[in-house]
């Protein structure tokens, strides 16, 4: 079974600085998808960024980018120019591809709470 | 578009009582999921459905039942609530599998006394 590990329960960053949240996963599958979701205090889950494992190029979305290291099974999220609105819980998630025989599941890590200091 | 709507938003139950949580989506999505979120545990999958009339067990299915009689609705039932089921429950839907993002409801805070 796939597992997702976020080793940093809490992180903090100064406004305008850069922070990197780590995520590692365990899988025997060769192709899959990876996601970062944000959960602000409103509790709403918001997709931040996603990566297809067969693509070597790291995904970017404005101030958010990932460092995807497939061999190391690592998928870290970098937030540049941090803003107060970035304060939230961040969840890393792994999703199998059903047509490869994997069951349809989206597995989440336990989350990292990010605090942004003014 | 309302997206994914969960009802109720809050509920307090006594041990042994039953209840049903309703999830409704208006995006014609095939896939729907029920997760529970507990402090320090992230989101754990309870049950999911890949289409109308189908359901499957997730990581933590014990004590819960689900039904997907209509494509737009996914019901989560607790037949005999236990304090261990105190949690925030999230419903989510997705157009298909794979790279499609999940759309989440706003959650249901359930307390079992």
């Amino acid at each position: 079974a796939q597992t997702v590990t976020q080793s940093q329960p809490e992180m903090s960053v100064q406004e305008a600085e850069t922070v990197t949240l780590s995520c590692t996963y365990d899988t025997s599958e060769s192709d899959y998808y990876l996601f970062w979701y944000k959960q602000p205090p409103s509790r709403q889950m918001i997709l931040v960024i996603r990566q297809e494992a067969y693509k070597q190029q790291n995904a970017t979305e404005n101030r958010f980018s990932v460092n995807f290291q497939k061999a190391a099974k690592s998928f870290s999220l970098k937030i540049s120019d941090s803003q107060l609105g970035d304060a939230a819980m961040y969840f890393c998630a792994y999703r199998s591809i059903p047509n490869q025989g994997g069951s349809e599941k989206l597995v989440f890590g336990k989350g990292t709470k990010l605090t942004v200091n003014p | 578009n309302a997206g994914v709507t969960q009802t109720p938003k809050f509920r307090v139950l006594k041990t042994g009582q039953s209840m049903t949580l309703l999830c409704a989506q208006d995006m014609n999505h095939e896939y729907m999921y029920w997760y529970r979120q507990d402090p320090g545990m992230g989101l754990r999958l309870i049950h999911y459905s890949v289409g109308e009339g189908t359901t499957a067990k997730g990581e933590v299915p014990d004590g819960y039942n689900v039904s997907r009689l209509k494509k737009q609705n996914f019901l989560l039932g607790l037949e005999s609530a236990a304090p261990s089921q105190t949690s925030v429950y999230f419903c989510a839907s997705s157009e298909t599998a794979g790279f499609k993002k999940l759309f989440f409801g706003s959650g249901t805070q359930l307390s079992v006394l």
Side-chain angles (χ1 to χ4, degrees):
Chain A
Q2 292 77 23
T3 58
V4 177
T5 302
Q6 294 180 247
S7 59
Q8 308 151 316
E10 297 187 20
M11 292 281 285
S12 63
V13 63
Q14 290 296 126
E15 196 174 4
E17 297 292 307
T18 295
V19 65
T20 298
L21 309 183
S22 66
C23 172
T24 58
Y25 56 93
D26 185 31
T27 185
S28 59
E29 297 174 334
S30 59
D31 203 6
Y32 43 85
Y33 304 111
L34 298 165
F35 303 80
W36 278 98
Y37 280 87
K38 168 186 177 181
Q39 186 181 43
S42 67
R43 218 165 60 184
Q44 185 66 41
M45 294 286 286
I46 303 164
L47 177 66
V48 175
I49 197 166
R50 51 187 167 174
Q51 175 85 36
E52 296 169 281
Y54 71 87
K55 289 187 176 180
Q56 293 186 349
Q57 185 174 6
N58 290 324
T60 62
E61 288 286 345
N62 300 313
R63 298 182 295 108
F64 298 87
S65 62
V66 298
N67 183 5
F68 174 48
Q69 301 289 328
K70 190 173 184 179
K73 297 179 183 177
S74 172
F75 184 61
S76 61
L77 174 68
K78 185 172 81 171
I79 306 173
S80 304
D81 186 25
S82 296
Q83 301 175 0
L84 295 178
D86 294 333
M89 284 289 289
Y90 285 82
F91 293 97
C92 179
Y94 172 104
R95 195 173 194 182
S96 300
I97 299 177
N99 61 9
Q100 289 190 353
S103 57
E104 165 49 23
K105 292 180 183 177
L106 181 57
V107 180
F108 286 85
K110 294 183 178 182
T112 296
K113 182 179 180 181
L114 179 66
T115 300
V116 181
N117 300 310
Chain B
N1 273 349
V4 178
T5 303
Q6 290 182 233
T7 52
K9 295 191 184 306
F10 303 93
R11 186 71 184 270
V12 178
L13 290 178
K14 294 181 180 179
T15 297
Q17 287 185 317
S18 64
M19 78 161 295
T20 300
L21 280 68
L22 171 63
C23 177
Q25 52 94 3
D26 61 1
M27 297 171 283
N28 202 35
H29 285 174
E30 291 291 337
Y31 291 73
M32 297 187 74
Y33 309 81
W34 276 107
Y35 285 90
R36 61 177 288 173
Q37 184 178 23
D38 303 293
M41 298 297 292
L43 280 82
R44 293 182 292 170
L45 182 64
I46 305 171
H47 287 280
Y48 65 99
S49 168
V50 299
E52 181 179 314
T54 71
T55 63
K57 294 181 179 180
E59 180 184 358
V60 288
D62 294 342
Y64 305 94
N65 56 75
V66 289
S67 65
R68 184 103 180 265
L69 298 179
K70 294 183 178 181
K71 186 177 184 179
Q72 63 268 34
N73 296 336
F74 194 31
L75 280 64
L76 178 70
L78 287 72
E79 291 188 348
S80 179
S84 61
Q85 294 176 305
T86 294
S87 187
V88 179
Y89 292 84
F90 284 95
C91 177
S93 73
S94 176
E95 183 180 347
T96 60
F99 205 51
K100 297 294 184 180
K101 75 172 188 178
L102 264 65
F103 290 79
F104 284 85
S106 57
T108 296
Q109 174 71 60
L110 176 65
S111 296
V112 183
L113 306 178

